[in-house]
Amino acid sequence: MDDREIVELYWRRDEAAIAQTQCRYGSFCLAVAMSLLSNGEDAKECVNETLYQAWNLIPPQRPEKLRPWLGRIVRNISVSLWRRNHRQKRYNGVEQALSELEDAVPSLMLVEREVESAELGEAISQWLRSLPNDDRVLFVRRYWYAVPLNELAEECGIAPKKLAQRMYRLRLSLKKFLEKEGIFNAED
C-alpha cells in the first residue's frame, strides 16, 4: 500500500491506517527514536505516540510523503522525551551531537533576540540545499536523527576520525553561512 492509499484510510477514519503505517514505517520510526533515546521501551512509546499523532493530525493534514512527515513527528516526540528524561539525569543519548552544534548555531536566547526561529530554520535549509548531496545527507542524519558518528563512518566506509573532521568542516561552513546572513555573530 502506498502513502496516498494510507492517507486515504486516515481520511476515512479507517483503523487499518494505523496498522498499515506501522507495517510500512514502524521500523523507520523506531530507528529514529532509538538513535535519540537509546532505550527500547521509550523508543516504542515514541512510535506509538507518533501513530496516535498521525491519527489526530490526518485529517486535516494530508501529507504527500509519509516517511519524512512521520520522521519529523517521531523525532520531535523523542527529543521532548529525551529532554524530560535528561532533566532527570537518565539519558546521555544525543548530548554529544547537540553539543557539537553549539559553536555553529546560536543559542535560543540569542535567536529570540535577533531573529525569528523560522528565519533560522530557513537559513539552515538554504545552507543545506547548497551542499553536495552526500554532505547534506550526512549532516541531517547526524544532527537531525542523531545517528552516532561511528555508525555513519561504518556506513560510509571511512574512518571515524576522518568523518569527524568532515563534520567539523560542515559545522564551520554552517557557522560562516549564518554569520554572513547576519543570524549569528562570532562575538555572541
Side-chain angles (χ1 to χ4, degrees), residues 19-80:
Q20 289 297 324
T21 304
Q22 174 67 34
C23 180
R24 184 165 176 145
Y25 296 112
S27 59
F28 164 72
C29 291
L30 186 62
V32 170
M34 280 296 294
S35 72
L36 293 164
L37 298 171
S38 303
N39 179 306
E41 292 302 313
D42 285 349
K44 288 176 187 173
E45 181 181 325
C46 289
V47 172
N48 288 336
E49 180 64 21
T50 299
L51 295 172
Y52 177 74
Q53 289 290 326
W55 182 259
N56 288 329
L57 294 172
I58 307 173
Q61 295 183 24
R62 189 182 282 271
E64 290 183 30
K65 295 183 178 181
L66 275 176
R67 182 182 167 101
W69 188 79
L70 291 167
R72 187 181 73 236
I73 292 172
V74 74
R75 180 193 181 279
N76 290 341
I77 291 168
S78 299
V79 167
S80 293

Side-chain angles (χ1 to χ4, degrees), residues 94-105 142-143 147 149 164 167-168 171-172:
V94 278
E95 189 170 358
Q96 183 177 358
L98 295 175
S99 70
E100 289 173 7
L101 279 175
E102 283 177 355
D103 291 335
V105 179
R142 175 72 179 131
Y143 298 114
V147 176
L149 193 63
M167 300 309 291
Y168 175 72
R171 291 192 309 272
L172 281 180

Side-chain angles (χ1 to χ4, degrees), residues 135-175:
D135 286 342
R136 181 175 44 249
V137 168
L138 279 173
F139 193 88
V140 169
R141 292 200 62 220
R142 175 72 179 131
Y143 298 114
W144 181 261
Y145 293 113
V147 176
L149 193 63
N150 289 339
E151 185 178 323
L152 282 176
E154 186 176 314
E155 290 173 11
C156 295
I158 61 176
K161 283 188 177 186
K162 187 173 181 178
L163 182 59
Q165 290 172 345
R166 185 173 176 183
M167 300 309 291
Y168 175 72
R169 286 191 300 272
L170 285 171
R171 291 192 309 272
L172 281 180
S173 170
L174 173 59
K175 182 179 181 180

Side-chain angles (χ1 to χ4, degrees), residues 74-155:
V74 74
R75 180 193 181 279
N76 290 341
I77 291 168
S78 299
V79 167
S80 293
L81 181 59
W82 177 85
R83 285 183 177 144
R84 188 170 53 244
N85 289 336
H86 186 69
R87 279 193 301 267
Q88 298 170 359
K89 306 271 188 233
R90 290 170 66 189
Y91 284 104
N92 193 0
V94 278
E95 189 170 358
Q96 183 177 358
L98 295 175
S99 70
E100 289 173 7
L101 279 175
E102 283 177 355
D103 291 335
V105 179
S107 72
L108 289 177
M109 295 296 285
L110 295 173
V111 172
E112 289 172 359
R113 279 191 283 135
E114 296 185 22
V115 294
E116 302 269 337
S117 61
E119 290 174 352
L120 175 62
E122 180 53 40
I124 292 172
S125 293
Q126 183 181 350
W127 174 78
L128 283 169
R129 285 190 295 270
S130 74
L131 295 177
N133 190 53
D134 290 347
D135 286 342
R136 181 175 44 249
V137 168
L138 279 173
F139 193 88
V140 169
R141 292 200 62 220
R142 175 72 179 131
Y143 298 114
W144 181 261
Y145 293 113
V147 176
L149 193 63
N150 289 339
E151 185 178 323
L152 282 176
E154 186 176 314
E155 290 173 11

Side-chain angles (χ1 to χ4, degrees), residues 104 171-182 184:
R171 291 192 309 272
L172 281 180
S173 170
L174 173 59
K175 182 179 181 180
K176 287 177 185 175
F177 179 83
L178 294 176
E179 287 172 352
K180 186 181 109 192
E181 295 294 312
F184 180 53

